Amino acid sequence: MKPNVVLLFLITILFFSCRKEDENDVQKIDQVINIYLKDTSGKDLLNANLSGSFTSVSAQDLNADKALQSISGFSVVKDKDTIAYIDYAAGAKRVITDSVSATQKKYRSDFYLNLSKTVNKVVVTDTDTLKIEYNWSPTLFQVSKLWYNNKLVFTKVDGQSNIIRIVK
């Protein structure tokens, strides 16, 4: 009789632990940002094969514990039309800026974007500043706004990708 009670107990525990996952139990993450850079004539400034374009891109965290710590959570990739863009997923430290409630918070990341190219055999680096604001709730973490060189260039629209186009 004792083995039957143990077996029944185990089956009961197994039954209650295997519940269907509720959609509200999972936090949706929407933090990937695609940044396209072009000049005023429309030339892709991130395509290192084009004359006058940037040949190197790096980023440094302005909120890191160590001053100007390098950020590794981005890469320069090409889209289906072979246009290069910066694909940034994460890497910079997020600091809380507002805790509206236990279920609503705002975070911010700040970093330098270092864009290098060779001009007359000399490496020249443009250092631009990015500030990203995020909204957090138990069910959603997403990019809210992005400033490029202190200019607001992106505000999140629900259901749309986080694509930013900058003209330098």
Side-chain angles (χ1 to χ4, degrees), residues 33 35 37 46 55-64 66-76 86-93 109-116 125-132 134 146 148:
I33 299 168
I35 302 171
L37 295 176
L46 293 171
T55 55
S56 172
V57 179
S58 65
Q60 296 171 302
D61 193 343
L62 297 173
N63 298 322
K66 195 170 94 177
L68 300 178
Q69 184 172 332
S70 292
I71 298 172
S72 60
F74 76 96
S75 58
V76 177
I86 298 168
D87 183 50
Y88 175 74
K93 183 175 183 177
S109 293
D110 303 278
F111 57 93
Y112 286 143
L113 187 63
N114 301 307
L115 306 159
S116 300
T125 301
D126 288 355
T127 300
D128 295 339
T129 305
L130 274 80
K131 177 170 84 170
I132 305 169
Y134 301 91
L146 185 137
Y148 195 90

Side-chain angles (χ1 to χ4, degrees), residues 27-29 94 96 98-107 133-144:
Q27 185 184 47
K28 182 181 177 208
I29 308 291
R94 296 183 188 111
I96 192 161
D98 191 8
S99 187
V100 178
S101 69
T103 59
Q104 293 270 312
K105 296 178 184 173
K106 289 187 182 287
Y107 290 85
E133 184 179 277
Y134 301 91
N135 287 332
W136 176 92
S137 74
T139 58
L140 179 65
F141 180 81
Q142 73 175 2
V143 172
S144 170

